[in-house]
Amino acid sequence: MNKLYLGCHLSASKGFLAMGKQAVAIGANTFQFFTRNPRGGAAKPIDEKDVEEYLKYAKETGIGTIVAHAPYTLNACAADAGIRNFAKETMIDDLKRMEYVPGNVYNFHPGSHVKQGVDVGIELIAELLNEVLTKEQTTTVLLETMAGKGSEVGRNFEELRRIIDKVELKDKLGVCLDTCHVWDGGYDIVGNLDNVIKEFDDVIGLDRLKAIHLNDSKNPFDSHKDRHECIGQGNIGLTALVNVINHPKLQGIPFNLETPNEIEGYQKEIELLRNMWKS
Ligand code: FE
Ligand code: FE
Ligand code: ZN
């Protein structure tokens, strides 16, 4: 029996149990949250009682895999060693904390190479992952597909593949596909979703696809911009996004909305999409 795991980005400020309850209240059975302030800074200490209550609640209510998102200001391939070290220490700390909610996923933006070139960027990202990943961790670390604005690494499937190839503990690595980013990055999920999925499978392997960010885009195809839009109000459109959640090869993967919404807007989008899910 297939199940649709659909949710959205939530604020982590009140802890895991509060996120779980908010998710369930809006019809979600997955959610995403920032591990700390997205602009960086210290993380809130883990409240063990909150985590314990959350795990019980998630089991009772059928919440599936949840997605932790690293601060988007981290740059694993910065030219400055101090900035890279900050990214490394933050990820090590986040992954330690993720073990309180074992078996979930931790997504990060690979980074921006700035003027070093993509080859150096890929090398530095892989180097950092080789220092961060441990055999013991139960969390899968996800590289997010990027729109390719500026000097972002991960602008196409090949760049992500090249990072994966250089990482030793490959079984700890996966990919999070963002529909807005791949559309802006030049993958035609509107005109030929099957082809994009086949290309992902050929280059990376669908077994590595562990999460999907379901977003519409404010910008046209191949614009390399990265501005999310509400479902059905952008250039990707409702039909194409509904095709994504209904695609037979994408069943069981958690879909999370990162659309410009408050909680009521997310609730409406979740309801709309659930009504259009076919399996
Ligand atoms: Fe992201
Ligand atoms: Fe995203
Ligand atoms: Zn984005």
Side-chain angles (χ1 to χ4, degrees):
M1 256 282 278
N2 276 336
K3 199 167 165 184
L4 174 64
Y5 287 98
L6 179 62
C8 65
H9 191 93
L10 296 176
S11 162
S13 62
K14 292 192 176 113
F16 281 99
L17 183 62
M19 286 191 282
K21 286 189 169 169
Q22 190 170 37
V24 168
I26 61 170
N29 52 357
T30 176
F31 58 87
Q32 175 175 274
F33 60 97
F34 283 125
T35 51
R36 60 189 71 218
N37 184 313
R39 303 205 167 271
K44 249 181 47 175
I46 290 277
D47 174 346
E48 291 191 35
K49 186 154 179 291
D50 171 56
V51 167
E52 196 184 304
E53 285 173 355
Y54 166 74
L55 290 173
K56 189 164 165 271
Y57 182 78
K59 205 171 172 189
E60 283 165 8
T61 54
I63 295 174
T65 301
I66 55 173
V67 183
H69 198 307
Y72 48 73
T73 45
L74 298 187
N75 189 0
C77 61
D80 182 304
I83 295 175
R84 289 203 305 278
N85 194 55
F86 178 74
K88 182 176 89 179
E89 295 303 328
T90 301
M91 286 173 74
I92 289 172
D93 185 53
D94 281 351
L95 286 172
K96 220 179 272 168
R97 297 147 47 79
M98 283 299 286
E99 290 303 312
Y100 285 92
V101 284
N104 287 297
V105 297
Y106 176 71
N107 173 59
F108 78 110
H109 296 181
S112 292
H113 65 72
V114 191
K115 286 182 179 116
Q116 307 173 90
V118 68
D119 295 347
V120 173
I122 285 168
E123 194 62 50
L124 290 173
I125 294 160
E127 200 176 287
L128 181 137
L129 285 168
N130 280 328
E131 290 171 340
V132 162
L133 300 177
T134 65
K135 279 198 201 82
E136 294 74 29
Q137 72 182 63
T138 65
T139 304
T140 304
V141 173
L142 309 184
L143 300 153
E144 183 165 352
T145 60
M146 302 312 292
K149 67 173 175 334
S151 64
E152 280 174 345
V153 179
R155 60 198 289 135
N156 55 44
F157 301 157
E158 285 77 8
E159 289 186 4
L160 297 180
R161 174 78 244 175
R162 287 173 62 198
I163 296 168
I164 295 166
D165 281 340
K166 289 177 188 285
V167 173
E168 285 151 36
L169 297 173
K170 289 183 176 53
D171 59 321
K172 304 298 180 187
L173 269 190
V175 171
C176 171
L177 183 144
D178 185 309
T179 56
C180 169
H181 298 177
V182 295
W183 167 257
D184 286 19
Y187 289 96
D188 188 7
I189 56 171
V190 176
N192 206 337
L193 178 63
D194 280 341
N195 243 10
V196 175
I197 292 172
K198 183 176 184 300
E199 204 175 326
F200 187 100
D201 197 25
D202 290 346
V203 176
I204 297 174
L206 275 174
D207 54 332
R208 290 212 192 265
L209 183 53
K210 303 292 186 197
I212 292 178
H213 287 162
L214 201 68
N215 302 310
D216 213 324
S217 172
K218 284 195 198 295
N219 287 292
F221 179 63
D222 209 16
S223 57
H224 300 286
K225 284 282 198 338
D226 188 4
R227 299 273 315 280
H228 302 186
E229 182 53 283
C230 291
I231 301 299
Q233 291 175 33
N235 288 290
I236 300 174
L238 180 61
T239 306
L241 293 165
V242 167
N243 288 340
V244 170
I245 62 167
N246 280 313
H247 199 283
K249 296 213 158 144
L250 306 180
Q251 298 311 300
I253 298 172
F255 297 96
N256 275 291
L257 303 162
E258 299 174 310
T259 45
N261 273 309
E262 301 296 330
I263 200 74
E264 295 77 17
Y266 279 136
Q267 180 165 17
K268 286 199 184 104
E269 290 186 348
I270 288 168
E271 194 187 352
L272 170 73
L273 290 165
R274 283 209 184 278
N275 285 331
M276 300 187 92
W277 186 65
K278 294 195 189 88
S279 338

